[in-house]
């Protein structure tokens, strides 16, 4: 559905300005609405399919795929815009997404329903902490409202720290997804075609950083380090590296800027282990809800980041303040994991109060 709504955006140019703005806002909203289950769904897949010692790597591959997509498609989209106009980008990407959705439907299963899984594999991942029985009582759980659990999740200090950090880390993501190519064009004088190719270099570093961060986290876990140390260490190192983007304010060289941004994007990928943490901490009663709240906090940044950066650039006439804003979010993410999150462990919820039975009037006895 999000690919279908992306495809429709290619037709916005056929409408007048006022109508086009309304349609653009509506379709972008629908894209976000349809795409929202993707990351919580992946967190659930990782929790069901992977033992604890492999979740960091599994989550890193999923999370890093978005950076690798930028490596592949940034040059292609730059060329499409340059040669065929901006409409073609939405049409091509929408069609590709629709085709891939059919492949996804044919390949994704729950562990116990996969046609090729054997008893040894199922036993291995189950003993390692995979929640393979998460959906055994699915029909019963669907009858129960998950809203009573929301208050417990939002009052848990560890989860609040993880949610705040995810907002900050997603701010970095959306800087690179939205404003970084504009920064290269407006602040560094590159053409759209050049920016498309250059933007793929930091994205490649982000992809490599994401994979290495997950591998390091799982290596530390298998080496006997605590889950807390294994997850927090790559996150803190990665966010420290991301702060380096502020140095771009002190150089005029375009290629030095690209090198620094590549380091910052590498750090962002290296520290993007939030979904592994969600798989480690989400209560099994409402893993999807916990991932949904985590995703909501992160996606708030997808709304605020383009607006805040646009306001800063418009008010100051430069990107200097914008880079400081994005870098400061990396610092806040570090502080959140250091001082708010505490030990990383699976949350145990209290049973929500059940609805009391209706009272029978004494006169009817």
């Amino acid at each position: 559905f999000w690919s279908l709504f992306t495809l429709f955006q290619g037709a916005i140019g056929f409408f007048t300005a006022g109508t086009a703005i309304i349609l653009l806002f509506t379709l972008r909203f629908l894209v976000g609405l349809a795409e929202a289950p993707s990351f919580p769904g992946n967190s659930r897949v990782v929790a069901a399919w992977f033992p604890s010692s492999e979740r960091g790597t599994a989550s890193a591959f999923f999370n890093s795929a978005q950076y690798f997509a930028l490596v592949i498609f940034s040059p292609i989209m730059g060329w499409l815009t340059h040669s065929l106009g901006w409409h073609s980008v939405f049409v091509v990407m929408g069609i590709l997404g629709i085709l891939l959705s059919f492949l996804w439907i044919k390949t994704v299963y729950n562990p116990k329903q996969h046609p090729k899984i054997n008893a040894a594999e199922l036993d291995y991942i189950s003993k390692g902490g995979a929640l393979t029985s998460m959906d055994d009582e699915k029909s019963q759980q669907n009858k129960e409202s998950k809203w009573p659990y929301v208050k417990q999740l939002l009052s848990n200090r560890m989860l609040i720290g993880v949610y705040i950090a995810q907002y900050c880390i997603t701010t970095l993501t959306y800087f690179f997804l939205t404003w970084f190519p504009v920064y290269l064009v407006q602040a560094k004088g590159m053409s759209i075609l050049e920016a498309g190719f250059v933007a793929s270099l930091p994205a490649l570093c982000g992809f490599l950083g994401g994979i290495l961060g997950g591998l390091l986290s799982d290596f530390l876990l298998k080496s006997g380090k605590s889950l807390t140390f294994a997850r927090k260490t790559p996150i803190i190192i990665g966010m420290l590296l991301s702060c380096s983007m502020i140095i771009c304010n002190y150089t005029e060289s375009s290629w030095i800027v690209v090198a620094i941004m590549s380091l910052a994007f590498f750090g962002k990928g290296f520290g993007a282990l939030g979904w592994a943490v969600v798989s480690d901490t989400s209560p099994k009663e409402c893993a999807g809800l916990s991932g949904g709240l985590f995703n909501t906090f992160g996606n708030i940044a997808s709304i605020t980041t383009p607006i805040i950066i646009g306001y800063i650039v418009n008010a100051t006439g430069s990107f200097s303040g914008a880079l400081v804003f994005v870098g400061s979010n990396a610092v806040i993410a570090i502080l959140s994991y250091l001082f708010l999150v505490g030990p990383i462990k699976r949350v145990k919820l209290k049973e929500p109060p059940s609805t009391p039975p209706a009272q029978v009037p004494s006169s009817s006895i």
Side-chain angles (χ1 to χ4, degrees):
F1 275 108
W2 87 63
S3 298
L4 184 64
F5 295 137
T6 297
L7 175 63
F8 289 161
Q9 288 174 73
I12 286 177
F14 295 105
F15 296 89
T16 59
T19 305
I21 291 173
I22 294 172
L23 285 174
L24 178 62
F25 180 86
T26 303
L27 288 172
R28 292 303 298 169
F29 176 82
L30 291 172
V31 167
L33 188 68
E35 192 178 10
S38 175
F39 279 88
N42 177 73
S43 176
R44 191 175 179 86
V45 169
V46 169
W49 271 100
F50 292 89
S52 300
S53 61
E54 298 176 18
R55 284 183 192 148
T57 303
S59 294
F61 268 97
F62 175 83
N63 195 55
S64 298
Q66 62 184 320
Y67 312 139
F68 194 67
L70 288 175
V71 175
I72 297 173
F73 290 109
S74 288
I76 294 174
M77 290 188 290
W79 177 82
L80 286 170
T81 303
H82 178 77
S83 303
L84 302 175
W86 63 267
H87 310 81
S88 62
V89 174
F90 292 96
V91 174
V92 170
M93 299 308 298
I95 291 173
L96 283 176
I98 291 169
L99 293 176
L100 284 171
S101 69
F102 292 105
L103 177 63
W104 184 89
I105 290 170
K106 291 293 184 181
T107 54
V108 175
Y109 295 86
N110 289 324
K112 293 184 177 180
Q113 282 74 48
H114 198 286
K116 294 186 178 180
I117 197 169
N118 56 50
E121 181 181 6
L122 191 61
D123 183 63
Y124 168 75
I125 63 176
S126 296
K127 288 183 177 178
L131 304 179
T132 57
S133 301
M134 191 160 36
D135 293 319
D136 285 357
E137 301 176 2
K138 186 176 179 180
S139 59
Q140 176 64 28
Q141 290 178 358
N142 284 345
K143 297 177 184 178
E144 300 174 357
S145 172
K146 295 293 188 294
W147 284 110
Y149 292 122
V150 173
K151 183 178 180 181
Q152 293 189 54
L153 293 174
L154 291 179
S155 61
N156 184 285
R157 175 176 169 173
M158 176 186 68
L159 291 180
I160 287 295
V162 172
Y163 295 162
I164 291 173
Q166 180 62 10
Y167 170 85
C168 296
I169 294 172
T170 306
T171 296
L172 275 75
T173 300
Y174 273 87
F175 165 74
F176 283 106
L177 290 179
T178 59
W179 276 101
F180 181 57
V182 181
Y183 169 70
L184 293 176
V185 172
Q186 294 187 359
K188 299 304 170 185
M190 296 184 183
S191 68
I192 293 176
L193 189 60
E194 288 173 332
F197 280 92
V198 171
S200 67
L201 298 177
L204 178 61
C205 293
F207 169 73
L208 295 174
I211 300 300
L212 291 175
L215 290 171
L216 174 63
S217 180
D218 286 347
F219 172 77
L220 292 173
L221 200 57
K222 292 176 182 178
S223 299
K225 302 298 182 182
S226 69
L227 180 64
T228 301
F229 183 85
R231 295 295 188 241
K232 285 187 179 184
T233 299
I235 293 172
I236 293 171
I237 292 174
M239 292 302 100
L240 286 172
L241 292 175
S242 293
C243 294
S244 64
M245 69 169 60
I246 299 175
I247 301 173
C248 292
N249 289 335
Y250 303 99
T251 179
E252 296 298 325
S253 171
S254 297
W255 288 108
I256 292 177
V257 166
V258 172
I260 294 171
M261 285 296 185
S262 297
L263 178 64
F265 210 158
F266 175 89
K268 193 273 163 193
F270 195 82
L273 284 174
W275 283 105
V277 174
V278 168
S279 296
D280 293 326
T281 59
S282 294
K284 61 182 181 179
E285 300 94 335
C286 54
L289 177 61
S290 177
L293 287 172
F294 176 84
N295 199 45
T296 298
F297 272 78
N299 279 340
I300 291 173
S302 71
I303 300 170
T304 59
T305 302
I307 296 172
I308 293 173
I309 293 178
Y311 177 82
I312 293 172
V313 172
N314 183 64
T316 64
S318 78
F319 279 84
S320 298
L323 296 185
V324 172
F325 162 73
V326 178
S328 65
N329 274 271
V331 175
I332 295 172
I334 293 171
L335 296 176
S336 185
Y337 267 100
L338 285 177
F339 300 109
L340 268 181
V341 173
I344 293 175
K345 56 187 177 181
R346 190 167 302 282
V347 174
K348 293 183 179 180
L349 297 177
K350 299 177 182 178
E351 285 296 323
S354 57
T355 304
Q359 297 295 322
V360 180
S362 57
S363 58
S364 65
I365 299 177

